[in-house]
């Protein structure tokens, strides 16, 4: 499955950022670790946003990934791969993210017990 839907893009971004954050802690590289944890927070924030907010967060995640890749290249070069995954995820979130809301299935509104009581029915009866 391509990274055009919400869950693969979010999972890939979160995985890459977690690898960078945890790996930066293990390698005692505070700069890489800090940027990795910030990227985790950005990807997690993308789950709560819709429309233009996803474009903003996607762009910020890409900027964090570029900064993290530069810092990783200077200290621990193999972390660059983790930040490349985060950058790809950020690009997908920025470009495809606003369309994710329109691809969701619409569900019927829930039965409102207050409206049923106003109509004279007892909503506790089956």
């Amino acid at each position: 499955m391509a990274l055009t839907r919400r869950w693969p893009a979010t999972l890939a971004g979160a995985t890459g950022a977690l690898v960078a954050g945890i790996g930066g802690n293990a390698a005692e590289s505070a700069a890489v670790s800090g940027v990795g944890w910030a990227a985790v927070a950005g990807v997690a924030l993308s789950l709560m946003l819709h429309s233009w907010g996803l474009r903003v967060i996607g762009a910020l995640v890409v900027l964090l990934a570029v900064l993290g890749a530069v810092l990783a290249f200077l200290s621990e070069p193999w972390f660059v791969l983790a930040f490349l995954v985060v950058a790809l995820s950020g690009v997908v979130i920025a470009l495809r993210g606003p369309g994710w809301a329109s691809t969701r299935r619409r569900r019927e509104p829930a039965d409102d017990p207050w409206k049923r009581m106003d109509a004279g029915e007892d909503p506790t009866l089956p």
Side-chain angles (χ1 to χ4, degrees):
M1 172 177 268
L3 285 177
T4 56
R5 297 188 40 97
R6 175 166 257 181
W7 72 266
T10 306
L11 184 64
T15 303
L18 282 171
V19 166
I22 294 171
N25 279 344
E28 296 180 356
S29 178
V32 172
S33 175
V35 175
W37 290 119
V40 170
V43 171
L45 182 62
S46 74
L47 292 173
M48 295 181 271
L49 297 174
H50 298 287
S51 71
W52 65 270
L54 283 173
R55 291 196 192 273
V56 172
I57 287 297
L60 290 175
V61 167
V62 170
L63 289 175
L64 281 171
V66 169
L67 174 66
V70 169
L71 292 172
F73 184 74
L74 295 175
S75 62
E76 297 290 331
W78 71 272
F79 287 122
V80 173
L81 295 175
F83 284 113
L84 287 178
V85 172
V86 175
L88 175 66
S89 173
V91 167
V92 170
I93 289 171
L95 296 180
R96 295 288 195 151
W100 288 334
S102 64
T103 59
R104 289 188 304 197
R105 287 186 224 133
R106 301 289 179 209
R107 60 184 174 110
E108 294 297 321
D111 185 30
D112 188 8
W114 297 108
K115 287 184 181 179
R116 289 181 60 194
M117 284 177 28
D118 288 341
E121 298 177 23
D122 186 2
T124 61
L125 296 176

